[in-house]
Amino acid sequence: MQYRKLPHGKEQISVIGMGTSSIGKSGEREIEATVAMALENGINYFDLASADAAPFAPIGRAVAGQRDRVYFQVHFGADYQTGQYGWTTDLETIKRSVDWQLSALGTDYIDFAFLHCMDEMEDLRTALEGGTLAYIRELQKQGVVRHIGMSSHTPAVARAALDAGVLDMLMFSINPAYDYHREGEFAIGGVEERMELYRRCQAEGVGISVMKAFSAGQLLNDRTSPFGHALTEYQCLQYALDKPGVLTVLPGMRNRSDLKRILGFFDASPEETEYSVLGTFAPQEAEGVCVYCNHCQPCPAGLDVGLINKYYDLSRAGDALARDHYAKLARKAGDCIGCGHCDRRCPFHVAQSRRMQEIAAYFGA
Ligand code: SF4
Ligand code: SF4
């Protein structure tokens, strides 16, 4: 397992976490066994926005005795008191549901308290001003809540939450279909607006946990993929993990067999995880935009083209650390010999050799 550090904390979060949206139907024994297997394999991050109440108790049993090794994303606004999932912004219902969730999990604290599913500005306003945020902050003072987060599919709402300066973590839907194709209920905002959000999160130290990395399975099938070509789970995972700000991707797992397949990501070859094929069917607006995929490697001058571009974009987005990170690179844009290999190889038609000159001028090296 690989881990990434939460910028606003000490937590080291596994790059693959576990989504529990569809595990509820598998039965208590399978849920418990799946979570136990996830823990054995180093997964330590669990999202609890489930489709029903069934997973809470078995998850609690599976982590008993090792609660301090595990991070829970608990959603303030997901209500399970009827046994099924319900969405609410009513503060009293939220309080009762959070109590229920803690009790079912057998825990007395929340690692990440999330404002749940904030897709409309009006809902965010209600959460920020109507008492939910104040309630979370009160729990934080009492030591019940460690960090504050929010889940959303809407860049504009996520930006407004960043403006309010309340987030340590953002759960956001990231996949190539939403970023490039604007197709589907949650494909909100153009590629540049979405990339700008990811960069802003990294610049402001807000980690991203990724939901819908496979666009609810739509991307995994030639017939349903908006590109007319299926991508693999491993390509989608790598795609999300390459985005700035992303700490962890949370595929929904139904059982141990799903988990085993997902864990195969760590043994997959570079050919299996690389997603440059996107360049052949991404739309016009993706042209010329570096997505840090490093498909243009190897660079004869030894430059890490993707990383250099990422630090450049992050620094211009206001990430104060990006300039330092860049300064520590052994080979910098100024070392580019202008061979043009990357220009020829880039599936997104980025004029990279020219961009290297621009980056060298910006950083002065
Ligand atoms: S220049 Fe192209 S191939 Fe190279 S990292 Fe950027 S997008 Fe990928
Ligand atoms: S043009 Fe520069 S960055 Fe691109 S492959 Fe050649 S040396 Fe490397």
Side-chain angles (χ1 to χ4, degrees):
M1 183 54 65
Q2 298 154 22
Y3 297 87
R4 293 181 179 178
K5 185 182 161 294
L6 179 75
H8 293 172
K10 295 195 181 97
E11 290 83 352
Q12 293 283 347
I13 294 173
S14 55
V15 296
I16 301 289
M18 190 168 156
T20 58
S21 59
S22 46
I23 203 170
K25 289 192 172 42
S26 301
E28 297 225 345
R29 281 176 61 175
E30 183 59 30
I31 296 171
E32 206 173 321
T34 306
V35 174
M37 184 176 155
L39 293 172
E40 279 161 26
N41 284 280
I43 288 179
N44 66 3
Y45 200 84
F46 295 82
D47 179 62
L48 294 166
S50 180
D52 56 55
F56 287 84
I59 290 174
R61 285 196 296 276
V63 307
Q66 33 190 339
R67 174 68 181 90
D68 57 338
R69 286 181 48 208
V70 167
Y71 304 120
F72 284 145
Q73 258 187 196
V74 171
H75 292 254
F76 286 54
D79 181 22
Y80 296 98
Q81 294 173 91
T82 63
Q84 290 304 311
Y85 163 78
W87 180 81
T88 181
T89 54
D90 176 68
L91 183 56
E92 291 312 311
T93 312
I94 287 173
K95 286 181 180 177
R96 283 196 299 275
S97 177
V98 169
D99 286 348
W100 181 92
Q101 292 180 66
L102 287 178
S103 149
L105 289 166
T107 186
D108 56 3
Y109 70 94
I110 294 165
D111 305 280
F112 292 87
F114 267 54
L115 301 171
H116 176 61
C117 205
M118 296 285 119
D119 284 351
E120 304 290 337
M121 239 15 140
E122 192 51 41
D123 298 329
L124 179 65
R125 215 166 290 131
T126 305
L128 296 184
E129 296 163 13
T132 307
L133 179 64
Y135 175 53
I136 292 175
R137 286 213 158 118
E138 184 51 40
L139 292 177
Q140 201 171 26
K141 265 194 220 139
Q142 295 167 15
V144 175
V145 162
R146 306 264 157 101
H147 297 285
I148 301 177
M150 179 180 94
S151 59
S152 177
H153 303 90
T154 314
V157 176
R159 283 200 304 274
L162 292 173
D163 290 343
V166 297
L167 300 183
D168 300 315
M169 196 76 152
L170 171 71
M171 188 187 204
F172 200 73
S173 40
I174 299 180
N175 63 57
Y178 293 175
D179 280 349
Y180 290 117
H181 216 273
R182 300 193 186 201
E183 204 169 278
E185 190 186 349
F186 300 122
I188 304 165
V191 62
E192 200 33 54
E193 181 185 9
R194 295 173 65 87
M195 296 288 175
E196 213 174 287
L197 173 66
Y198 313 151
R199 290 195 287 265
R200 184 173 168 193
C201 283
Q202 172 141 347
E204 297 183 10
V206 174
I208 301 176
S209 56
V210 176
M211 60 176 153
K212 300 193 175 65
F214 314 140
S215 186
Q218 181 198 22
L219 271 168
L220 306 178
N221 187 307
D222 280 341
R223 277 185 300 106
T224 52
S225 165
F227 302 116
H229 296 268
L231 294 176
T232 66
E233 289 174 321
Y234 297 166
Q235 286 174 311
C236 294
L237 291 171
Q238 190 63 56
Y239 176 86
L241 285 170
D242 283 346
K243 297 293 149 289
V246 170
L247 300 184
T248 183
V249 186
L250 307 169
M253 298 175 198
R254 293 162 302 179
N255 47 40
R256 281 171 285 180
S257 154
D258 281 356
L259 171 59
K260 190 168 174 229
R261 202 181 58 251
I262 293 292
L263 286 169
F265 172 72
F266 295 105
D267 299 319
S269 66
E271 291 74 31
E272 286 175 290
T273 59
E274 76 112 43
Y275 47 86
S276 60
V277 65
L278 268 182
T280 60
F281 43 72
Q284 195 81 43
E285 63 181 313
E287 287 282 302
V289 179
C290 182
V291 296
Y292 326 125
C293 65
N294 261 342
H295 184 70
C296 50
Q297 294 290 357
C299 160
L303 275 63
D304 187 331
V305 177
L307 201 55
I308 287 172
N309 276 267
K310 195 183 264 189
Y311 290 155
Y312 176 51
D313 288 340
L314 286 169
S315 180
R316 289 188 305 158
D319 184 339
L321 296 177
R323 187 174 280 275
D324 280 353
H325 292 324
Y326 181 80
K328 291 195 181 90
L329 290 175
R331 313 289 291 171
K332 300 187 177 61
D335 296 311
C336 169
I337 54 172
C339 71
H341 171 79
C342 52
D343 299 333
R344 291 189 294 277
R345 216 153 129 75
C346 176
F348 299 91
H349 305 118
V350 178
Q352 191 55 256
S353 52
R354 204 167 62 220
R355 197 167 147 92
M356 282 298 171
Q357 292 174 8
E358 183 186 316
I359 296 173
Y362 175 85
F363 285 122

